[in-house]
Amino acid sequence: MRETSAARRAARALDALRRGWPVAVFNEEGGLALLPIETADPVRFAEFTPDNNAALLVSAGRVVTLDLGQSVGLREPDEPILLRRNGGFDFQMATAIADPTFGTATGFTDGFAAAELSSAPLAAAALRLAMRAGILPAFVATTSGQVAVEVTAEDIAAYDDADRLTIAARARLPVAAIDDAEIVAFRTPEMPGEHIALVIGRPNGQPPLVRLHSECLTGDMLGSLKCDCGPQLHAAIEAIAANGWGILLYLRQEGRGIGLVNKLRAYALQDRGFDTVDANTRLGFAVDARDFRIAARMLRLLGEARIRLLTNNPAKVRVLEAAGITIAERVPHRLPANPHNARYLETKRERTGHAL
């Protein structure tokens, strides 16, 4: 099937990026040869741009962080920007431009300017591919470099398609809060991990109480005090059990969708004084890169299109409703702060619109 082969091509491109191999992303308007800066090395860098005349493809958030915002105007943080520099740049410069946790880019930005981007949708697809690979959204870009894998913007969109998710397995799973529970795993053929639903209790004619919980290894497993994820997870399971019937959706979208490694980079920036929003944008990512359409697909596969949603996040309500899920009620999910996550909770309220 064309769609399946498209997603598999995207999966091969993701593997290439993680290995530091150059890829080509193209559409009907043209193409870009791209070397991922984070996973490349000086040898591959020199081979990819022997004339030192390539550009950098980064996000607007990264450009603003580098004090080049006046040259690009007001943009969304994850919008693509093509940068050129008089005299070119070496591997050390490119690495410092790409990663704010790797030393400093001071002095490297002299002579940089935004270049004309022939296809913004193509460049946006490339940055989205980097995010899916779990690497920094920063590339050396040229129109003529040798590449290991070719992928189209349509391939990348097919890989992102939440509607391709299916139920892979299910089994009874007694949990501490209630022994009447079932675990259901969802995946696509190319996914490296699975999304999970914990179905608690039995349908009783009322809309289920549903919680969307994004994976947080540090909070869920290690008891991190920097966020409220662990307490929210356990409180949600207890609330659903007390309700008698409901579903916990455990979404594999670590770090608001940027992955574990990049979340730890964001933690390092938070230790320097940046809040969670600014830390994400300084890394070149959107404020929130999660895809809640996946949750809508999971609910449809479970046969539930009308729910009570346990959340403080209005974005979850909007996306689920846009995907055809009826929200009969939004149920607040509030927990007390601790000295380590008070600023984190304040940022959620003041900058991302959470009703805390």
Side-chain angles (χ1 to χ4, degrees), residues 4 21 35 57 117 129 148 153 158 184 189 223-225 267 280 287 322 325 342:
T4 299
W21 297 346
L35 180 71
L57 177 63
L117 191 58
L129 190 68
V184 186
S224 169
L225 298 177
Y267 277 1
N280 274 25
V287 173
I325 302 298

Side-chain angles (χ1 to χ4, degrees), residues 47-58:
E47 291 174 346
F48 187 74
T49 175
D51 58 2
N52 201 26
N53 193 37
L56 291 181
L57 177 63
V58 295

Side-chain angles (χ1 to χ4, degrees), residues 102-185:
F102 187 88
T104 176
T106 302
F108 290 164
T109 58
D110 294 342
F112 271 92
E116 182 179 357
L117 191 58
S118 59
S119 175
L122 185 66
L127 295 186
R128 188 163 60 250
L129 190 68
M131 186 190 72
R132 295 294 181 192
I135 64 172
L136 293 168
F139 295 96
V140 183
T142 179
T143 57
S144 59
Q146 293 186 343
V147 299
V149 176
E150 294 185 347
V151 64
T152 69
E154 186 180 20
D155 294 338
I156 298 169
Y159 186 84
D160 288 349
D161 191 358
D163 289 335
R164 298 176 58 253
L165 203 67
T166 60
I167 293 177
R170 59 198 308 164
R172 180 175 174 272
L173 183 71
V175 295
I178 184 171
D179 60 6
D180 185 11
E182 180 188 30
I183 187 168
V184 186

